[in-house]
Amino acid sequence: MERSFSKQVERKTGVSFDEIMALAGALTHANFSDEKQVRKIVKKVSRLANKPITKELEDNIVKSILQDGKSLDFTKIEKMMK
């Protein structure tokens, strides 16, 4: 069952299940007050989503995450990406 689920996720996202799980682990253990770590995660998500972002947008997303502290406002980040 788990194998078919992971294959479905891979087909729908175009991203390997292992990469998704690695990202989930990174997010779980991330220190969202560490700019270097936040920037690394933003770049990784951009790469995995195949959605290049400008340096300015990266800076804005990082700033937003750092300001929000331990909680991530995905709605706010999603609006920046549009």
Side-chain angles (χ1 to χ4, degrees), residues 31-81:
N31 175 0
F32 292 106
S33 61
D34 178 354
E35 181 176 349
K36 187 175 179 179
Q37 192 171 27
V38 170
R39 198 167 290 279
K40 185 176 177 180
I41 290 170
V42 168
K43 287 177 183 178
K44 184 170 188 163
V45 170
S46 172
R47 183 183 59 78
L48 287 177
N50 198 25
K51 195 101 165 161
I53 57 174
T54 64
K55 177 72 169 133
E56 180 182 6
L57 180 54
E58 178 187 320
D59 290 342
N60 288 338
I61 293 170
V62 169
K63 181 181 174 186
S64 174
I65 292 170
L66 291 173
Q67 284 177 346
D68 290 343
K70 293 188 182 242
S71 64
L72 287 177
D73 185 347
F74 287 106
T75 305
K76 190 174 176 183
I77 294 169
E78 183 180 10
K79 287 179 184 175
M80 285 184 210
M81 298 290 291

Side-chain angles (χ1 to χ4, degrees), residues 1-9 17 21:
M1 179 70 174
E2 183 181 320
R3 181 86 175 139
S4 66
F5 173 74
S6 63
K7 289 296 179 192
Q8 286 178 349
V9 169
F17 194 72
M21 294 308 292

Side-chain angles (χ1 to χ4, degrees), residues 9-25:
V9 169
E10 288 175 356
R11 277 195 298 272
K12 287 190 181 251
T13 64
V15 179
S16 81
F17 194 72
D18 290 338
E19 286 184 290
I20 293 170
M21 294 308 292
L23 177 61

